[in-house]
PDB file of all heavy atoms in Angstrom:
ATOM      1  N   SER A 188      10.561  20.335  -5.841  1.00 95.00           N
ATOM      2  CA  SER A 188      11.932  20.373  -5.354  1.00 95.00           C
ATOM      3  C   SER A 188      11.940  20.824  -3.886  1.00 95.00           C
ATOM      4  O   SER A 188      10.957  21.363  -3.419  1.00 95.00           O
ATOM      5  CB  SER A 188      12.803  21.344  -6.193  1.00 95.00           C
ATOM      6  OG  SER A 188      12.262  22.628  -6.229  1.00 95.00           O
ATOM      7  N   SER A 189      13.063  20.610  -3.248  1.00 95.00           N
ATOM      8  CA  SER A 189      13.195  21.013  -1.840  1.00 95.00           C
ATOM      9  C   SER A 189      13.199  22.524  -1.729  1.00 95.00           C
ATOM     10  O   SER A 189      13.751  23.247  -2.604  1.00 95.00           O
ATOM     11  CB  SER A 189      14.488  20.460  -1.297  1.00 95.00           C
ATOM     12  OG  SER A 189      14.761  21.006  -0.008  1.00 95.00           O
ATOM     13  N   ALA A 192      16.731  23.839  -1.822  1.00 89.00           N
ATOM     14  CA  ALA A 192      17.549  23.671  -3.009  1.00 89.00           C
ATOM     15  C   ALA A 192      17.383  24.881  -3.965  1.00 89.00           C
ATOM     16  O   ALA A 192      16.361  25.608  -3.878  1.00 89.00           O
ATOM     17  CB  ALA A 192      17.123  22.382  -3.764  1.00 89.00           C
ATOM     18  N   PRO A 193      18.351  25.108  -4.871  1.00 88.00           N
ATOM     19  CA  PRO A 193      18.207  26.164  -5.856  1.00 88.00           C
ATOM     20  C   PRO A 193      16.958  25.914  -6.699  1.00 88.00           C
ATOM     21  O   PRO A 193      16.604  24.785  -6.944  1.00 88.00           O
ATOM     22  CB  PRO A 193      19.489  26.040  -6.683  1.00 88.00           C
ATOM     23  CG  PRO A 193      20.455  25.368  -5.774  1.00 88.00           C
ATOM     24  CD  PRO A 193      19.676  24.416  -4.947  1.00 88.00           C
ATOM     25  N   ARG A 194      16.354  26.981  -7.153  1.00 88.00           N
ATOM     26  CA  ARG A 194      15.164  26.829  -8.042  1.00 88.00           C
ATOM     27  C   ARG A 194      15.590  26.159  -9.345  1.00 88.00           C
ATOM     28  O   ARG A 194      16.587  26.520  -9.928  1.00 88.00           O
ATOM     29  CB  ARG A 194      14.556  28.220  -8.328  1.00 88.00           C
ATOM     30  CG  ARG A 194      13.909  28.862  -7.121  1.00 88.00           C
ATOM     31  CD  ARG A 194      13.296  30.206  -7.491  1.00 88.00           C
ATOM     32  NE  ARG A 194      12.546  30.776  -6.363  1.00 88.00           N
ATOM     33  CZ  ARG A 194      11.316  30.486  -6.074  1.00 88.00           C
ATOM     34  NH1 ARG A 194      10.603  29.708  -6.868  1.00 88.00           N
ATOM     35  NH2 ARG A 194      10.697  31.071  -5.032  1.00 88.00           N
ATOM     36  N   PRO A 195      14.795  25.235  -9.800  1.00 89.00           N
ATOM     37  CA  PRO A 195      15.126  24.574 -11.075  1.00 89.00           C
ATOM     38  C   PRO A 195      14.976  25.520 -12.266  1.00 89.00           C
ATOM     39  O   PRO A 195      14.221  26.493 -12.181  1.00 89.00           O
ATOM     40  CB  PRO A 195      14.103  23.444 -11.147  1.00 89.00           C
ATOM     41  CG  PRO A 195      12.947  23.896 -10.328  1.00 89.00           C
ATOM     42  CD  PRO A 195      13.582  24.702  -9.211  1.00 89.00           C
ATOM     43  N   GLY A 196      15.742  25.246 -13.334  1.00 81.00           N
ATOM     44  CA  GLY A 196      15.640  26.064 -14.502  1.00 81.00           C
ATOM     45  C   GLY A 196      16.171  27.498 -14.345  1.00 81.00           C
ATOM     46  O   GLY A 196      15.710  28.386 -15.009  1.00 81.00           O
ATOM     47  N   GLY A 197      17.106  27.666 -13.443  1.00 80.00           N
ATOM     48  CA  GLY A 197      17.699  29.014 -13.216  1.00 80.00           C
ATOM     49  C   GLY A 197      16.728  29.993 -12.577  1.00 80.00           C
ATOM     50  O   GLY A 197      16.975  31.200 -12.690  1.00 80.00           O
ATOM     51  N   GLY A 198      15.730  29.492 -11.901  1.00 79.00           N
ATOM     52  CA  GLY A 198      14.818  30.389 -11.184  1.00 79.00           C
ATOM     53  C   GLY A 198      13.610  30.878 -11.971  1.00 79.00           C
ATOM     54  O   GLY A 198      12.857  31.674 -11.464  1.00 79.00           O
ATOM     55  N   ARG A 199      13.442  30.368 -13.231  1.00 83.00           N
ATOM     56  CA  ARG A 199      12.278  30.810 -13.979  1.00 83.00           C
ATOM     57  C   ARG A 199      10.991  30.305 -13.367  1.00 83.00           C
ATOM     58  O   ARG A 199      10.955  29.287 -12.676  1.00 83.00           O
ATOM     59  CB  ARG A 199      12.399  30.300 -15.419  1.00 83.00           C
ATOM     60  CG  ARG A 199      13.447  31.037 -16.225  1.00 83.00           C
ATOM     61  CD  ARG A 199      13.318  30.714 -17.727  1.00 83.00           C
ATOM     62  NE  ARG A 199      13.633  29.300 -17.979  1.00 83.00           N
ATOM     63  CZ  ARG A 199      14.821  28.855 -18.234  1.00 83.00           C
ATOM     64  NH1 ARG A 199      15.867  29.676 -18.218  1.00 83.00           N
ATOM     65  NH2 ARG A 199      15.045  27.559 -18.451  1.00 83.00           N
ATOM     66  N   ARG A 200       9.874  31.014 -13.614  1.00 87.00           N
ATOM     67  CA  ARG A 200       8.594  30.640 -13.051  1.00 87.00           C
ATOM     68  C   ARG A 200       8.075  29.356 -13.597  1.00 87.00           C
ATOM     69  O   ARG A 200       7.292  28.665 -12.920  1.00 87.00           O
ATOM     70  CB  ARG A 200       7.619  31.783 -13.257  1.00 87.00           C
ATOM     71  CG  ARG A 200       7.956  33.088 -12.568  1.00 87.00           C
ATOM     72  CD  ARG A 200       6.921  34.106 -12.769  1.00 87.00           C
ATOM     73  NE  ARG A 200       5.644  33.727 -12.134  1.00 87.00           N
ATOM     74  CZ  ARG A 200       4.540  34.480 -12.155  1.00 87.00           C
ATOM     75  NH1 ARG A 200       4.564  35.626 -12.779  1.00 87.00           N
ATOM     76  NH2 ARG A 200       3.444  34.038 -11.580  1.00 87.00           N
ATOM     77  N   VAL A 202       9.490  25.872 -16.092  1.00 94.00           N
ATOM     78  CA  VAL A 202      10.657  25.257 -16.680  1.00 94.00           C
ATOM     79  C   VAL A 202      10.234  24.355 -17.806  1.00 94.00           C
ATOM     80  O   VAL A 202       9.131  23.848 -17.842  1.00 94.00           O
ATOM     81  CB  VAL A 202      11.467  24.457 -15.604  1.00 94.00           C
ATOM     82  CG1 VAL A 202      11.959  25.358 -14.516  1.00 94.00           C
ATOM     83  CG2 VAL A 202      10.600  23.317 -15.060  1.00 94.00           C
ATOM     84  N   GLU A 210      19.991  17.936 -14.213  1.00 93.00           N
ATOM     85  CA  GLU A 210      19.427  17.865 -12.874  1.00 93.00           C
ATOM     86  C   GLU A 210      19.325  16.400 -12.439  1.00 93.00           C
ATOM     87  O   GLU A 210      19.125  15.504 -13.248  1.00 93.00           O
ATOM     88  CB  GLU A 210      18.022  18.480 -12.846  1.00 93.00           C
ATOM     89  CG  GLU A 210      17.972  19.947 -13.216  1.00 93.00           C
ATOM     90  CD  GLU A 210      18.311  20.835 -12.014  1.00 93.00           C
ATOM     91  OE1 GLU A 210      18.705  20.298 -10.927  1.00 93.00           O
ATOM     92  OE2 GLU A 210      18.126  22.085 -12.114  1.00 93.00           O
ATOM     93  N   LEU A 258      15.082  16.442  -7.842  1.00 95.00           N
ATOM     94  CA  LEU A 258      13.727  16.876  -8.307  1.00 95.00           C
ATOM     95  C   LEU A 258      12.878  15.701  -8.646  1.00 95.00           C
ATOM     96  O   LEU A 258      13.405  14.601  -8.899  1.00 95.00           O
ATOM     97  CB  LEU A 258      13.898  17.798  -9.547  1.00 95.00           C
ATOM     98  CG  LEU A 258      14.926  18.881  -9.559  1.00 95.00           C
ATOM     99  CD1 LEU A 258      14.927  19.593 -10.907  1.00 95.00           C
ATOM    100  CD2 LEU A 258      14.682  19.868  -8.403  1.00 95.00           C
ATOM    101  N   ARG A 274       8.755  23.024  -3.020  1.00 94.00           N
ATOM    102  CA  ARG A 274       8.600  24.063  -4.062  1.00 94.00           C
ATOM    103  C   ARG A 274       7.944  23.414  -5.262  1.00 94.00           C
ATOM    104  O   ARG A 274       8.359  22.350  -5.713  1.00 94.00           O
ATOM    105  CB  ARG A 274       9.940  24.667  -4.452  1.00 94.00           C
ATOM    106  CG  ARG A 274       9.828  25.725  -5.542  1.00 94.00           C
ATOM    107  CD  ARG A 274      11.185  26.263  -5.942  1.00 94.00           C
ATOM    108  NE  ARG A 274      11.759  27.069  -4.855  1.00 94.00           N
ATOM    109  CZ  ARG A 274      12.854  26.697  -4.177  1.00 94.00           C
ATOM    110  NH1 ARG A 274      13.426  25.529  -4.495  1.00 94.00           N
ATOM    111  NH2 ARG A 274      13.310  27.441  -3.201  1.00 94.00           N
ATOM    112  N   VAL A 275       6.914  24.034  -5.801  1.00 94.00           N
ATOM    113  CA  VAL A 275       6.183  23.499  -6.954  1.00 94.00           C
ATOM    114  C   VAL A 275       6.422  24.435  -8.111  1.00 94.00           C
ATOM    115  O   VAL A 275       6.125  25.648  -8.064  1.00 94.00           O
ATOM    116  CB  VAL A 275       4.680  23.382  -6.667  1.00 94.00           C
ATOM    117  CG1 VAL A 275       3.980  22.826  -7.892  1.00 94.00           C
ATOM    118  CG2 VAL A 275       4.425  22.486  -5.445  1.00 94.00           C
ATOM    119  N   THR A 276       6.971  23.916  -9.193  1.00 94.00           N
ATOM    120  CA  THR A 276       7.294  24.706 -10.391  1.00 94.00           C
ATOM    121  C   THR A 276       6.521  24.082 -11.585  1.00 94.00           C
ATOM    122  O   THR A 276       6.721  22.958 -11.911  1.00 94.00           O
ATOM    123  CB  THR A 276       8.817  24.700 -10.686  1.00 94.00           C
ATOM    124  OG1 THR A 276       9.520  25.183  -9.493  1.00 94.00           O
ATOM    125  CG2 THR A 276       9.114  25.647 -11.848  1.00 94.00           C
TER     126      THR A 276
END
Side-chain angles (χ1 to χ4, degrees):
S188 56
S189 169
R194 291 181 175 272
R199 288 192 294 273
R200 295 183 64 180
V202 299
E210 298 278 8
L258 314 178
R274 179 182 292 111
V275 180
T276 306

